[in-house]
Amino acid sequence: MKIDRPGAARVLTKAEAAAFAAEARSAGRRIVFTNGVFDLLHPGHVRYLREARALGDLLIAGLNADESVRRNKGPGRPITSQNERAEVLAALSSVDAVVVFPEDTPADIIRRVQPDILVKGADWPADQIVGRDTVEARGGRVVLIPVEGRYSTTSIVERIKNAR
């Protein structure tokens, strides 16, 4: 199931994402979910999202809202606005839908979407993966995808700052 709409139209509310997932599930589709800040989209993100999408029939990406990013990354972290980040993320062919969430974690959206597969970067300790219990309680699984160190957003931001 692929949403045939421009990128900005694939940015869904939590309720729309839940309905989209329920419709896909009733059609026998496997739903993959991942989340992140995606504050500086780079080749590492693109590869990660492509691998995540290959695990199922559709990929819903949760995106931290601006206020959540500020709380998690600190007030000095340069970011583009959540609307711009969401539109760019939704425009990627591997991403079927994007949902912006204001909370510090994606727990609520994971409960609403009920993904079959939850994907995180392999740098996440298993006991810190938010939503793991929700997914595994339904018989789903958590998949860790290796992170390409060269494309760490933090290291890219530092390289940009030091290039001045």
Side-chain angles (χ1 to χ4, degrees):
M1 171 180 280
K2 189 74 168 164
I3 302 175
D4 190 21
R5 296 182 278 171
R10 295 191 300 163
V11 178
L12 308 177
T13 65
K14 287 181 182 182
E16 290 169 336
F20 175 60
E23 178 185 337
R25 189 174 299 101
S26 70
R29 306 281 197 250
R30 285 179 306 146
I31 301 157
V32 179
F33 179 86
T34 193
N35 68 281
V37 172
F38 300 104
D39 49 348
L40 181 60
L41 203 59
H42 52 70
H45 285 140
V46 173
R47 293 171 189 158
Y48 170 86
L49 292 164
R50 191 178 303 133
E51 285 185 52
R53 175 62 170 78
L55 296 168
D57 298 308
L58 62 91
L59 173 62
I60 298 174
L63 182 74
N64 291 77
D66 292 347
E67 64 268 21
S68 171
V69 175
R70 295 284 179 230
R71 287 190 302 270
N72 285 320
K73 301 288 186 177
R77 177 70 167 253
I79 60 167
T80 55
S81 77
Q82 66 193 38
N83 294 339
E84 290 175 355
R85 290 182 290 124
E87 185 172 351
V88 170
L89 193 59
L92 296 174
S93 62
S94 58
V95 177
D96 294 284
V98 173
V99 59
V100 178
F101 61 94
E103 301 86 9
D104 289 344
T105 75
D108 182 52
I109 190 62
I110 291 170
R111 277 191 298 276
R112 290 174 185 240
V113 169
Q114 294 291 312
D116 301 293
I117 302 164
L118 174 61
V119 176
K120 291 301 287 181
D123 55 339
W124 277 87
D127 63 337
Q128 291 181 21
I129 296 174
V130 172
R132 173 183 214 106
D133 54 344
T134 300
V135 172
E136 290 177 344
R138 289 189 62 252
R141 64 189 175 114
V142 175
V143 175
L144 300 178
I145 294 179
V147 176
E148 296 184 46
R150 172 178 174 211
Y151 290 116
S152 153
T153 302
T154 300
S155 67
I156 291 172
V157 168
E158 286 305 312
R159 284 196 310 258
I160 291 168
K161 284 180 178 179
N162 293 331
R164 295 180 193 179

